[in-house]
Coordinates of all heavy atoms in Angstrom, one line a residue:
A761 N 116.2 84.9 108.1 CA 114.8 85.2 108.2 C 114.3 86.1 107.1 O 115.1 86.9 106.5 CB 114.5 85.9 109.6
A762 N 113.0 86.1 106.8 CA 112.5 86.8 105.6 C 112.7 88.3 105.8 O 112.8 89.1 104.9 CB 111.0 86.5 105.5
S763 N 112.7 88.8 107.1 CA 112.8 90.2 107.3 C 114.1 90.8 106.9 O 114.3 92.0 106.7 CB 112.5 90.5 108.8 OG 113.5 89.9 109.6
S764 N 115.2 90.0 106.7 CA 116.5 90.5 106.3 C 116.6 90.6 104.8 O 117.6 91.2 104.3 CB 117.6 89.6 106.9 OG 117.5 88.3 106.3
Q765 N 115.6 90.1 104.1 CA 115.6 90.2 102.6 C 114.4 91.0 102.1 O 113.4 90.9 102.7 CB 115.5 88.7 102.0 CG 116.7 87.9 101.9 CD 117.6 88.4 100.7 OE1 117.1 88.7 99.7 NE2 118.8 88.5 101.0
P766 N 114.6 91.7 101.0 CA 113.4 92.4 100.4 C 112.4 91.3 100.1 O 112.7 90.2 99.7 CB 114.0 93.1 99.2 CG 115.4 93.2 99.4 CD 115.8 92.0 100.3
L767 N 111.1 91.7 100.2 CA 110.0 90.8 100.0 C 109.3 91.1 98.7 O 109.1 92.3 98.3 CB 109.0 90.8 101.1 CG 109.5 90.4 102.5 CD1 108.4 90.6 103.5 CD2 109.9 89.0 102.5
L768 N 108.8 90.1 98.0 CA 108.0 90.3 96.8 C 106.7 89.5 96.9 O 106.6 88.4 97.4 CB 108.8 89.7 95.6 CG 110.1 90.3 95.2 CD1 110.8 89.4 94.1 CD2 109.9 91.7 94.7
L769 N 105.7 90.2 96.4 CA 104.4 89.5 96.3 C 104.4 88.8 94.9 O 104.5 89.4 93.9 CB 103.2 90.6 96.3 CG 101.8 90.1 96.2 CD1 101.5 89.2 97.4 CD2 100.8 91.2 96.0
H770 N 104.3 87.5 94.9 CA 104.2 86.7 93.7 C 102.7 86.3 93.6 O 102.2 85.6 94.4 CB 105.1 85.4 94.0 CG 105.1 84.5 92.8 ND1 106.0 84.7 91.8 CD2 104.4 83.4 92.5 CE1 105.8 83.7 90.9 NE2 104.8 82.9 91.3
W771 N 102.1 86.8 92.5 CA 100.6 86.6 92.5 C 100.1 86.4 91.1 O 100.8 86.7 90.1 CB 100.0 87.8 93.1 CG 100.3 89.2 92.5 CD1 101.5 89.9 92.6 CD2 99.4 90.0 91.8 NE1 101.4 91.1 91.9 CE2 100.1 91.2 91.5 CE3 98.0 89.9 91.4 CZ2 99.5 92.2 90.7 CZ3 97.5 90.9 90.7 CH2 98.2 92.1 90.4
G772 N 98.9 85.9 91.0 CA 98.2 85.7 89.8 C 96.7 85.8 90.0 O 96.2 86.0 91.1
V773 N 95.9 85.8 88.9 CA 94.5 85.9 89.0 C 93.8 84.7 88.4 O 94.4 84.0 87.6 CB 93.9 87.2 88.3 CG1 94.5 88.4 89.1 CG2 94.3 87.3 86.9
S774 N 92.6 84.4 88.8 CA 91.9 83.2 88.3 C 90.4 83.4 88.4 O 89.9 84.5 88.9 CB 92.3 81.9 89.0 OG 91.9 82.0 90.4
D775 N 89.6 82.4 88.0 CA 88.2 82.5 88.1 C 87.6 81.7 89.3 O 86.5 81.8 89.6 CB 87.5 81.9 86.8 CG 87.9 80.5 86.6 OD1 88.8 79.9 87.2 OD2 87.3 79.8 85.7
R776 N 88.5 81.0 90.0 CA 88.0 80.2 91.2 C 89.2 79.7 92.0 O 90.3 79.6 91.4 CB 87.1 79.0 90.7 CG 87.9 78.0 89.9 CD 87.0 76.9 89.3 NE 87.8 75.9 88.6 CZ 88.5 76.1 87.5 NH1 88.5 77.3 86.9 NH2 89.2 75.1 86.9
R777 N 88.9 79.2 93.2 CA 90.0 78.6 94.0 C 90.5 77.3 93.2 O 89.7 76.5 92.7 CB 89.4 78.2 95.3 CG 90.5 77.5 96.2 CD 89.9 77.0 97.6 NE 89.6 78.1 98.4 CZ 90.5 78.8 99.2 NH1 91.7 78.5 99.2 NH2 90.0 79.8 100.0
G778 N 91.8 77.2 93.1 CA 92.3 76.1 92.4 C 92.4 76.2 90.9 O 92.9 75.3 90.2
G779 N 91.9 77.4 90.4 CA 91.9 77.6 89.0 C 93.3 77.9 88.5 O 94.2 78.2 89.3
T780 N 93.5 77.8 87.2 CA 94.8 78.1 86.6 C 95.1 79.6 86.8 O 94.3 80.4 86.6 CB 94.7 77.8 85.1 OG1 94.4 76.4 84.9 CG2 96.0 78.1 84.4
W781 N 96.3 79.8 87.2 CA 96.8 81.2 87.4 C 96.8 81.8 86.0 O 97.3 81.3 85.0 CB 98.2 81.2 88.0 CG 98.4 80.9 89.4 CD1 97.7 79.9 90.1 CD2 99.2 81.6 90.3 NE1 98.1 80.0 91.4 CE2 99.1 81.0 91.6 CE3 100.2 82.6 90.2 CZ2 99.8 81.4 92.7 CZ3 100.9 83.0 91.3 CH2 100.7 82.4 92.6
G782 N 96.4 83.1 86.0 CA 96.5 83.9 84.8 C 97.3 85.2 85.1 O 97.4 85.6 86.3
S783 N 98.0 85.7 84.1 CA 98.8 86.9 84.3 C 98.0 88.1 84.6 O 97.1 88.5 83.8 CB 99.7 87.1 83.1 OG 100.4 88.3 83.2
P784 N 98.3 88.8 85.7 CA 97.6 90.1 85.9 C 97.9 91.1 84.8 O 97.0 91.9 84.5 CB 98.2 90.5 87.3 CG 98.6 89.3 87.9 CD 99.1 88.4 86.8
F785 N 99.0 91.0 84.1 CA 99.3 91.9 83.0 C 98.3 91.7 81.9 O 97.9 92.7 81.2 CB 100.7 91.6 82.5 CG 101.8 92.1 83.4 CD1 102.4 91.3 84.3 CD2 102.2 93.5 83.3 CE1 103.5 91.8 85.1 CE2 103.2 93.9 84.1 CZ 103.9 93.1 85.0
D786 N 97.8 90.5 81.7 CA 96.8 90.3 80.7 C 95.3 90.4 81.1 O 94.5 90.7 80.3 CB 96.9 88.8 80.1 CG 98.3 88.6 79.5 OD1 98.9 89.5 79.0 OD2 98.7 87.4 79.5
K787 N 95.1 90.2 82.4 CA 93.7 90.1 82.9 C 93.2 91.3 83.6 O 92.0 91.5 83.8 CB 93.6 88.9 83.8 CG 94.1 87.6 83.2 CD 93.2 87.0 82.2 CE 93.7 85.6 81.8 NZ 92.9 85.0 80.8
L788 N 94.1 92.2 84.1 CA 93.7 93.4 84.9 C 94.0 94.7 84.1 O 94.8 94.7 83.3 CB 94.4 93.4 86.3 CG 94.2 92.2 87.2 CD1 94.9 92.5 88.5 CD2 92.7 92.0 87.5
E789 N 93.2 95.7 84.5 CA 93.4 97.0 83.8 C 94.9 97.5 84.1 O 95.4 98.2 83.2 CB 92.4 98.0 84.4 CG 91.0 97.8 83.9 CD 90.7 97.9 82.5 OE1 91.5 98.7 81.8 OE2 89.8 97.3 82.0
S790 N 95.4 97.2 85.3 CA 96.8 97.7 85.6 C 97.4 96.8 86.7 O 96.7 96.1 87.3 CB 96.7 99.2 86.0 OG 96.0 99.3 87.2
V791 N 98.7 96.9 86.8 CA 99.4 96.3 87.9 C 100.2 97.4 88.5 O 100.5 98.4 87.9 CB 100.3 95.1 87.4 CG1 99.4 94.0 86.8 CG2 101.3 95.6 86.4
P792 N 100.7 97.2 89.8 CA 101.5 98.2 90.4 C 102.7 98.5 89.6 O 103.4 97.7 89.0 CB 101.8 97.6 91.8 CG 100.7 96.6 92.0 CD 100.4 96.0 90.7
T793 N 103.1 99.8 89.7 CA 104.3 100.3 89.0 C 105.5 99.5 89.5 O 105.6 99.2 90.7 CB 104.5 101.8 89.3 OG1 103.4 102.5 88.9 CG2 105.8 102.3 88.7
G794 N 106.4 99.1 88.6 CA 107.6 98.3 88.9 C 107.4 96.8 89.0 O 108.4 96.1 89.2
S795 N 106.2 96.4 88.7 CA 105.9 94.9 88.7 C 106.6 94.3 87.5 O 106.8 95.0 86.5 CB 104.4 94.6 88.7 OG 103.8 95.1 89.9
R796 N 106.9 93.0 87.6 CA 107.5 92.3 86.5 C 106.7 91.0 86.3 O 106.1 90.5 87.2 CB 109.0 92.0 86.7 CG 109.3 91.0 87.8 CD 110.8 90.8 88.0 NE 111.0 89.6 88.7 CZ 111.2 88.4 88.2 NH1 111.3 88.3 86.9 NH2 111.4 87.3 88.9
A797 N 106.9 90.4 85.1 CA 106.2 89.1 84.8 C 107.3 88.1 84.7 O 108.1 88.0 83.7 CB 105.5 89.2 83.4
P798 N 107.5 87.2 85.8 CA 108.5 86.2 85.7 C 108.2 85.0 84.8 O 109.0 84.3 84.4 CB 108.6 85.7 87.2 CG 107.2 86.0 87.7 CD 106.7 87.2 87.0
D799 N 106.9 84.9 84.4 CA 106.4 83.9 83.5 C 105.1 84.4 82.9 O 104.6 85.5 83.2 CB 106.3 82.5 84.2 CG 105.4 82.6 85.4 OD1 104.3 83.2 85.4 OD2 105.8 82.1 86.5
G800 N 104.4 83.6 82.2 CA 103.2 83.9 81.5 C 101.9 83.8 82.4 O 100.8 84.1 82.0
Q801 N 102.1 83.4 83.7 CA 101.0 83.2 84.6 C 101.0 84.0 85.8 O 100.1 83.9 86.6 CB 100.9 81.7 85.0 CG 100.7 80.8 83.8 CD 100.7 79.3 84.3 OE1 101.7 78.8 84.6 NE2 99.5 78.7 84.3
S802 N 102.0 84.8 86.1 CA 102.1 85.5 87.3 C 102.7 86.8 87.2 O 103.2 87.2 86.1 CB 102.9 84.6 88.4 OG 104.2 84.5 88.0
C803 N 102.8 87.5 88.3 CA 103.3 88.9 88.4 C 104.1 88.9 89.7 O 103.7 88.2 90.7 CB 102.2 89.9 88.4 SG 102.6 91.6 88.6
E804 N 105.1 89.7 89.8 CA 105.8 89.9 91.0 C 105.9 91.4 91.3 O 106.3 92.2 90.4 CB 107.2 89.3 91.0 CG 107.1 87.8 91.1 CD 108.4 87.1 91.3 OE1 109.5 87.6 90.9 OE2 108.4 85.9 91.8
T805 N 105.5 91.8 92.5 CA 105.5 93.2 92.9 C 106.3 93.3 94.2 O 106.0 92.6 95.2 CB 104.0 93.6 93.1 OG1 103.3 93.3 91.9 CG2 103.9 95.1 93.5
A806 N 107.2 94.3 94.2 CA 108.0 94.5 95.4 C 107.1 95.1 96.5 O 106.2 95.9 96.3 CB 109.1 95.5 95.1
L807 N 107.3 94.6 97.7 CA 106.7 95.1 98.9 C 107.6 96.1 99.6 O 108.8 95.7 99.9 CB 106.3 94.0 99.9 CG 105.3 93.0 99.3 CD1 105.0 91.8 100.3 CD2 104.0 93.6 98.9
H808 N 107.2 97.3 99.8 CA 108.1 98.3 100.4 C 107.8 98.3 101.9 O 106.6 98.6 102.3 CB 107.9 99.6 99.8 CG 108.1 99.6 98.3 ND1 109.4 99.5 97.8 CD2 107.3 99.5 97.3 CE1 109.3 99.4 96.5 NE2 108.0 99.4 96.1
D809 N 108.8 98.0 102.7 CA 108.6 97.9 104.2 C 107.5 96.9 104.5 O 106.7 97.0 105.4 CB 108.3 99.2 104.8 CG 109.5 100.2 104.7 OD1 110.6 99.8 104.8 OD2 109.2 101.4 104.5
G810 N 107.4 95.8 103.7 CA 106.4 94.8 103.9 C 105.0 95.1 103.5 O 104.1 94.4 103.8
E811 N 104.8 96.3 102.8 CA 103.5 96.7 102.4 C 103.4 96.9 100.9 O 104.4 97.2 100.2 CB 103.1 98.0 103.1 CG 103.1 97.8 104.6 CD 102.7 99.1 105.3 OE1 102.4 100.1 104.7 OE2 102.7 99.1 106.6
G812 N 102.2 96.8 100.4 CA 101.9 97.1 99.0 C 100.4 97.1 98.8 O 99.6 96.7 99.6
A813 N 100.0 97.6 97.6 CA 98.6 97.7 97.3 C 98.4 97.2 95.8 O 99.2 97.5 95.0 CB 98.0 99.1 97.5
V814 N 97.3 96.5 95.6 CA 96.9 96.1 94.2 C 95.5 96.5 94.0 O 94.6 96.3 94.8 CB 97.0 94.5 94.1 CG1 96.4 94.1 92.8 CG2 98.4 94.1 94.3
E815 N 95.3 97.2 92.9 CA 93.9 97.6 92.4 C 93.4 96.4 91.6 O 94.1 96.1 90.5 CB 93.9 98.9 91.7 CG 92.6 99.3 91.2 CD 92.5 100.6 90.5 OE1 93.5 101.4 90.5 OE2 91.5 100.9 89.8
F816 N 92.3 95.8 92.0 CA 91.8 94.6 91.3 C 90.7 95.1 90.4 O 89.5 95.2 90.8 CB 91.3 93.6 92.3 CG 91.2 92.2 91.7 CD1 92.2 91.3 91.8 CD2 90.0 91.9 91.0 CE1 92.1 90.0 91.3 CE2 89.9 90.6 90.5 CZ 90.9 89.7 90.6
A817 N 91.0 95.4 89.1 CA 90.0 95.9 88.1 C 90.2 95.0 86.9 O 91.0 95.3 86.0 CB 90.3 97.4 87.8
P818 N 89.4 93.9 86.8 CA 89.5 93.0 85.6 C 89.1 93.7 84.3 O 88.2 94.6 84.3 CB 88.4 92.0 85.9 CG 88.2 92.0 87.4 CD 88.4 93.5 87.8
K819 N 89.9 93.4 83.3 CA 89.5 93.9 81.9 C 89.0 92.7 81.1 O 88.6 93.0 79.9 CB 90.8 94.5 81.3 CG 91.9 93.6 81.0 CD 93.0 94.5 80.3 CE 94.3 93.6 80.0 NZ 95.4 94.4 79.5
V820 N 88.8 91.5 81.6 CA 88.2 90.4 80.9 C 87.2 89.8 81.9 O 87.4 89.8 83.1 CB 89.3 89.4 80.5 CG1 90.2 90.0 79.4 CG2 90.1 88.8 81.6
A821 N 86.2 89.1 81.3 CA 85.2 88.5 82.1 C 85.8 87.2 82.8 O 86.7 86.6 82.3 CB 84.0 88.1 81.2
G822 N 85.2 86.9 84.0 CA 85.6 85.7 84.7 C 86.7 85.8 85.6 O 87.0 84.8 86.3
V823 N 87.4 86.9 85.7 CA 88.5 87.1 86.6 C 87.9 87.6 87.9 O 87.4 88.8 88.0 CB 89.6 88.0 86.1 CG1 90.6 88.3 87.1 CG2 90.1 87.4 84.8
S824 N 87.9 86.8 89.0 CA 87.3 87.2 90.3 C 88.1 86.8 91.5 O 87.7 87.0 92.6 CB 85.9 86.7 90.4 OG 86.0 85.3 90.3
C825 N 89.3 86.2 91.3 CA 90.1 85.7 92.4 C 91.6 86.1 92.3 O 92.1 86.2 91.2 CB 89.9 84.2 92.5 SG 88.2 83.7 92.6
M826 N 92.2 86.2 93.4 CA 93.6 86.5 93.4 C 94.3 85.4 94.2 O 93.8 85.0 95.3 CB 93.9 87.8 94.1 CG 95.3 88.3 94.1 SD 95.4 90.0 94.8 CE 97.2 90.1 95.0
T827 N 95.4 84.8 93.7 CA 96.1 83.8 94.4 C 97.6 84.3 94.6 O 98.1 84.9 93.6 CB 96.2 82.5 93.6 OG1 94.8 82.1 93.3 CG2 96.9 81.4 94.3
M828 N 98.2 84.1 95.7 CA 99.5 84.8 96.0 C 100.3 84.0 97.0 O 99.8 83.2 97.7 CB 99.3 86.2 96.4 CG 98.7 86.3 97.8 SD 98.1 87.9 98.3 CE 96.4 87.6 98.1
L829 N 101.6 84.3 96.9 CA 102.6 83.9 97.9 C 103.4 85.2 98.1 O 103.5 86.1 97.3 CB 103.4 82.8 97.4 CG 102.7 81.6 96.8 CD1 103.7 80.8 96.0 CD2 102.2 80.7 97.9
I830 N 104.2 85.2 99.2 CA 105.2 86.2 99.4 C 106.5 85.5 99.5 O 106.6 84.4 100.1 CB 104.9 87.0 100.7 CG1 103.6 87.7 100.6 CG2 106.1 87.9 101.0 CD1 103.1 88.4 101.9
R831 N 107.5 86.0 98.8 CA 108.8 85.4 98.8 C 109.9 86.4 99.0 O 109.7 87.6 98.8 CB 109.0 84.6 97.5 CG 109.3 85.5 96.3 CD 109.8 84.6 95.1 NE 110.1 85.4 93.9 CZ 111.2 86.1 93.7 NH1 112.2 86.1 94.6 NH2 111.4 86.7 92.6
T832 N 111.0 85.9 99.5 CA 112.2 86.8 99.6 C 112.8 87.0 98.2 O 112.6 86.1 97.3 CB 113.2 86.2 100.5 OG1 113.6 84.9 100.1 CG2 112.8 86.1 102.0
E833 N 113.4 88.1 98.0 CA 114.0 88.4 96.7 C 115.0 87.4 96.2 O 115.0 87.1 95.0 CB 114.7 89.8 96.8 CG 115.1 90.4 95.5 CD 115.6 91.8 95.6 OE1 116.6 92.0 96.3 OE2 114.9 92.7 95.1
N834 N 115.7 86.7 97.2 CA 116.6 85.7 96.8 C 116.0 84.3 96.6 O 116.7 83.3 96.4 CB 117.8 85.6 97.8 CG 117.3 85.2 99.1 OD1 116.2 84.8 99.4 ND2 118.3 85.1 100.1
C835 N 114.7 84.2 96.7 CA 113.9 82.9 96.6 C 114.2 81.9 97.6 O 113.9 80.7 97.4 CB 114.1 82.3 95.2 SG 113.4 83.3 93.9
Q836 N 114.9 82.3 98.7 CA 115.2 81.3 99.7 C 114.0 80.9 100.6 O 114.0 79.9 101.2 CB 116.4 81.8 100.6 CG 117.7 81.9 99.8 CD 118.1 80.6 99.2 OE1 118.3 79.6 99.9 NE2 118.3 80.6 97.9
E837 N 113.1 81.9 100.8 CA 111.9 81.6 101.6 C 110.6 82.0 100.8 O 110.6 83.0 100.2 CB 112.0 82.5 102.9 CG 113.0 82.1 103.8 CD 112.9 82.9 105.1 OE1 111.9 82.7 105.8 OE2 113.9 83.6 105.4
W838 N 109.7 81.1 100.9 CA 108.3 81.3 100.3 C 107.4 81.2 101.5 O 107.3 80.2 102.2 CB 108.0 80.2 99.3 CG 108.8 80.4 98.0 CD1 110.1 80.0 97.8 CD2 108.4 81.0 96.8 NE1 110.5 80.3 96.6 CE2 109.5 80.9 95.9 CE3 107.2 81.5 96.3 CZ2 109.4 81.4 94.6 CZ3 107.2 82.0 95.0 CH2 108.3 81.9 94.2
L839 N 106.6 82.3 101.7 CA 105.7 82.4 102.8 C 104.3 82.0 102.2 O 103.8 82.6 101.3 CB 105.7 83.8 103.4 CG 107.1 84.3 103.7 CD1 107.0 85.8 104.2 CD2 107.7 83.5 104.8
R840 N 103.7 80.9 102.8 CA 102.5 80.4 102.3 C 101.4 80.2 103.4 O 101.7 80.5 104.6 CB 102.7 79.0 101.8 CG 103.8 78.9 100.7 CD 104.1 77.4 100.3 NE 105.0 77.3 99.2 CZ 104.6 77.3 97.9 NH1 103.3 77.3 97.6 NH2 105.4 77.2 96.9
E841 N 100.3 79.7 103.1 CA 99.3 79.4 104.1 C 99.9 78.3 105.0 O 100.8 77.6 104.7 CB 98.0 78.8 103.4 CG 97.2 79.8 102.8 CD 96.3 80.6 103.7 OE1 96.4 80.5 104.9 OE2 95.6 81.5 103.2
S842 N 99.3 78.1 106.2 CA 99.9 77.2 107.2 C 99.8 75.7 106.7 O 100.7 74.9 107.1 CB 99.1 77.3 108.5 OG 97.8 77.0 108.3
D843 N 98.9 75.4 105.7 CA 98.9 74.1 105.2 C 99.8 73.9 104.0 O 99.9 72.9 103.3 CB 97.5 73.7 104.7 CG 96.9 74.6 103.6 OD1 97.7 75.4 103.1 OD2 95.8 74.4 103.2
G844 N 100.6 75.0 103.7 CA 101.6 74.9 102.6 C 101.0 75.4 101.2 O 101.7 75.4 100.2
G845 N 99.8 75.7 101.2 CA 99.1 76.1 100.0 C 99.3 77.6 99.7 O 99.8 78.4 100.5
D846 N 98.7 78.0 98.5 CA 98.8 79.4 98.2 C 97.7 80.2 99.0 O 96.7 79.6 99.4 CB 98.4 79.6 96.7 CG 99.4 78.8 95.8 OD1 100.5 78.6 96.2 OD2 99.0 78.5 94.6
V847 N 98.0 81.5 99.2 CA 97.0 82.4 99.8 C 96.0 82.7 98.7 O 96.3 83.1 97.6 CB 97.6 83.6 100.3 CG1 96.6 84.6 100.9 CG2 98.7 83.3 101.4
F848 N 94.7 82.6 99.0 CA 93.6 82.8 98.0 C 92.6 83.8 98.5 O 92.2 83.8 99.7 CB 92.9 81.5 97.8 CG 91.7 81.5 96.9 CD1 91.8 81.5 95.6 CD2 90.4 81.7 97.5 CE1 90.7 81.6 94.8 CE2 89.3 81.8 96.7 CZ 89.4 81.7 95.3
I849 N 92.2 84.8 97.6 CA 91.2 85.7 98.0 C 90.1 85.8 96.9 O 90.5 86.0 95.7 CB 91.8 87.2 98.1 CG1 92.9 87.2 99.2 CG2 90.7 88.2 98.4 CD1 93.6 88.5 99.3
D850 N 88.9 85.6 97.3 CA 87.8 85.7 96.3 C 87.3 87.1 96.3 O 86.7 87.6 97.3 CB 86.7 84.7 96.7 CG 85.5 84.7 95.7 OD1 85.5 85.5 94.8 OD2 84.6 83.9 95.9
I851 N 87.5 87.8 95.2 CA 87.1 89.2 95.1 C 85.7 89.4 94.6 O 85.2 90.5 94.6 CB 88.2 90.0 94.2 CG1 89.6 89.5 94.5 CG2 88.0 91.5 94.2 CD1 90.3 90.3 95.5
S852 N 85.1 88.4 94.2 CA 83.8 88.5 93.5 C 82.7 89.3 94.3 O 82.0 90.0 93.7 CB 83.2 87.1 93.1 OG 83.1 86.2 94.1
P853 N 82.6 89.1 95.6 CA 81.6 89.9 96.3 C 81.9 91.4 96.2 O 80.9 92.2 96.0 CB 81.7 89.5 97.8 CG 82.3 88.1 97.7 CD 83.2 88.1 96.5
A854 N 83.1 91.8 96.3 CA 83.5 93.3 96.1 C 83.2 93.7 94.7 O 82.7 94.9 94.5 CB 84.9 93.5 96.5
L855 N 83.5 92.9 93.7 CA 83.3 93.3 92.3 C 81.8 93.4 92.1 O 81.3 94.4 91.4 CB 83.8 92.2 91.4 CG 85.4 92.1 91.3 CD1 85.8 90.9 90.5 CD2 86.0 93.3 90.8
A856 N 80.9 92.5 92.6 CA 79.5 92.6 92.5 C 79.0 93.9 93.2 O 78.1 94.6 92.6 CB 78.8 91.4 93.1
A857 N 79.5 94.2 94.3 CA 79.0 95.4 95.0 C 79.4 96.7 94.2 O 78.6 97.6 94.1 CB 79.6 95.5 96.4
A858 N 80.6 96.7 93.6 CA 81.0 97.8 92.9 C 80.2 98.0 91.6 O 79.8 99.1 91.2 CB 82.5 97.7 92.5
A859 N 79.8 96.9 91.0 CA 79.0 96.9 89.8 C 77.6 97.4 90.1 O 77.0 98.0 89.2 CB 78.9 95.5 89.2
Q860 N 77.1 97.3 91.3 CA 75.8 97.8 91.7 C 75.9 99.2 92.3 O 74.9 99.7 92.8 CB 75.2 96.8 92.7 CG 74.9 95.5 92.1 CD 74.4 94.5 93.2 OE1 74.3 94.8 94.4 NE2 74.0 93.3 92.7
G861 N 77.1 99.8 92.2 CA 77.2 101.2 92.7 C 77.5 101.3 94.2 O 77.6 102.3 94.7
G862 N 77.9 100.1 94.8 CA 78.1 100.2 96.2 C 79.6 100.2 96.6 O 80.0 100.1 97.7
G863 N 80.5 100.3 95.6 CA 81.9 100.1 95.9 C 82.7 101.2 95.4 O 83.8 101.5 95.6

């Protein structure tokens, strides 16, 4: 079971659902300490006791979404949406609120 293995957040950023993953290292102001880049399109961040936090502060225009999976450190289990797809979060409403001084 996933709980017996350390968990990693495998994630990337994009401009829309289904968009090409972009590296958070290139597109965001910062990534969580200790994160690594397994390839040019994603980031992996350790979850400590199943928890972690990501500050979503784009440094380039058009980055408004986060796509992610959670995987065990040994890559034996990938935790996805129930339909088998990636977990997707549209951050654009929060970015718009912050730009207007509401966030």
Side-chain angles (χ1 to χ4, degrees):
S763 61
S764 66
Q765 276 284 319
L767 297 175
L768 296 173
L769 180 66
H770 180 88
W771 60 290
V773 297
S774 67
D775 61 348
R776 67 190 182 289
R777 180 182 291 276
T780 301
W781 284 42
S783 172
F785 285 95
D786 298 335
K787 310 280 186 186
L788 300 182
E789 292 291 336
S790 65
V791 297
T793 302
S795 295
R796 69 179 198 95
D799 54 45
Q801 296 179 288
S802 65
C803 180
E804 288 188 335
T805 304
L807 298 176
H808 303 285
D809 295 324
E811 297 181 5
V814 171
E815 180 179 344
F816 198 95
K819 65 180 179 185
V820 297
V823 174
S824 60
C825 303
M826 182 174 171
T827 304
M828 70 193 105
L829 306 163
I830 295 174
R831 72 169 180 85
T832 55
E833 191 172 64
N834 65 2
C835 290
Q836 295 300 305
E837 290 184 67
W838 289 78
L839 310 174
R840 303 173 174 270
E841 286 283 2
S842 58
D843 65 2
D846 301 336
V847 177
F848 173 85
I849 301 172
D850 182 354
I851 316 271
S852 58
L855 294 173
Q860 295 175 356

